[in-house]
């Protein structure tokens, strides 16, 4: 798609069901789960990839800073990460806007928001969402998996104020469940799997 995209990866959760920092576990392709995810989104932006940290702030930064396989990464910390995904989305969008203002960079046309614990997404699977956003640049684009709309998702810049106002556990679900033409859903089965427990890695291996 044409236009400027800001990529925001949410990596703030505690992973209480996993029992450890799942983002730093090894992805089958060789890097950590978080490194793998950041690499898949990187081709969609000319800006740094914005990573929102929370519970594992230092560990996440140590994992990504200086990684030979990653582009430039910008970290922003959600002080209220315990309150849920909505606040992390708002923190990420605020960081993008601050970066653009401080560097004199043009504001993005879209925010591409993904989750750091989704091991099945690939650059190719994400491209279907980006292409849809190119066709409908004023609309939201949601992943559709297992009958539900979810992230990864693309939001037009005109949603800036709505995204900055998000809070709570449900993230942007209300925005993504809007009918067309406000939001279009793109089949994206790779979005369905997120790593909540160690056993979830077996699901990836079966795919």
């Amino acid at each position: 798609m044409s236009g400027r995209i800001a990529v925001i990866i949410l990596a703030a959760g505690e992973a209480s069901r996993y029992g450890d920092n799942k983002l730093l576990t090894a992805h089958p392709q060789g890097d950590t789960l978080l490194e793998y995810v950041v690499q898949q989104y990187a081709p969609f932006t000319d800006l740094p990839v914005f990573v929102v940290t929370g519970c594992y702030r230092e560990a996440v930064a140590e994992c990504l800073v200086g990684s030979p396989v990653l582009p430039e990464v910008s970290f922003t910390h959600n002080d209220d990460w315990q309150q849920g995904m909505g606040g992390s989305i708002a923190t990420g969008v605020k960081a993008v806007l601050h970066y653009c203002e401080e560097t004199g960079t043009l504001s993005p046309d879209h925010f591409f928001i993904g989750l750091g614990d989704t091991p099945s997404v690939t650059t190719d699977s994400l491209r279907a969402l980006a292409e849809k956003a190119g066709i409908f640049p004023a609309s939201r684009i949601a992943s559709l998996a297992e009958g539900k709309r979810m992230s990864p998702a693309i939001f037009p810049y005109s949603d800036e104020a709505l995204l900055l106002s998000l809070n709570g556990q449900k993230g942007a679900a209300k925005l993504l469940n809007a009918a067309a033409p406000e939001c279009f859903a793109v089949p994206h089965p790779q979005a369905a799997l997120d790593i909540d427990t160690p056993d979830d890695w077996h699901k990836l291996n079966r795919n």
Side-chain angles (χ1 to χ4, degrees):
M1 67 174 289
S2 60
R4 294 171 53 78
I5 297 178
V7 168
I8 299 169
I9 303 297
L10 308 183
E14 183 179 14
S16 58
R17 294 178 60 199
Y18 197 91
D20 200 353
N21 186 355
K22 60 186 178 183
L23 299 175
L24 304 191
T25 56
H27 189 280
Q29 292 198 10
D31 300 310
T32 66
L33 172 57
L34 186 56
E35 284 177 294
Y36 168 83
V37 170
V38 171
Q39 286 180 74
Q40 305 314 306
Y41 285 86
F44 296 98
T45 185
D46 293 327
L47 300 171
V49 174
F50 292 82
V51 174
V52 181
T53 63
C55 182
Y56 298 106
R57 180 180 188 177
E58 292 80 12
V60 166
E62 288 175 5
C63 166
L64 298 182
V65 170
S67 171
V69 298
L70 294 180
E72 182 181 358
V73 177
S74 180
F75 300 97
T76 184
H77 182 67
N78 178 12
D79 290 326
D80 297 319
W81 59 267
Q82 299 97 328
Q83 301 304 312
M85 191 182 300
S88 289
I89 293 173
T91 299
V93 170
K94 185 176 181 180
V96 171
L97 300 178
H98 179 74
Y99 173 89
C100 291
E101 181 178 348
E102 288 293 306
T103 62
T105 304
L106 290 174
S107 298
D109 298 316
H110 293 88
F111 301 100
F112 199 164
I113 298 177
L115 309 178
D117 62 351
T118 48
S120 296
V121 300
T122 66
T123 299
D124 283 343
S125 74
L126 295 167
R127 186 168 291 115
L129 279 71
E131 290 175 352
K132 195 74 168 181
I135 298 170
F136 300 102
S139 301
R140 301 167 197 139
I141 310 298
S143 293
L144 179 64
E146 298 181 347
K148 300 179 181 177
R149 295 185 179 197
M150 60 182 69
S151 294
I154 299 176
F155 300 83
Y157 183 81
S158 57
D159 273 346
E160 168 202 2
L162 291 172
L163 294 170
L164 288 173
S165 70
L166 292 175
N167 55 60
Q169 298 290 342
K170 293 187 177 180
K174 184 176 180 180
L175 300 179
L176 297 180
N177 285 320
E182 287 188 69
C183 184
F184 291 96
V186 173
H188 189 200
Q190 294 86 348
L193 176 61
D194 59 351
I195 299 297
D196 285 330
T197 72
D199 286 343
D200 287 333
W201 284 109
H202 299 299
K203 299 177 184 176
L204 175 66
N205 295 333
R206 287 199 295 267
N207 293 333

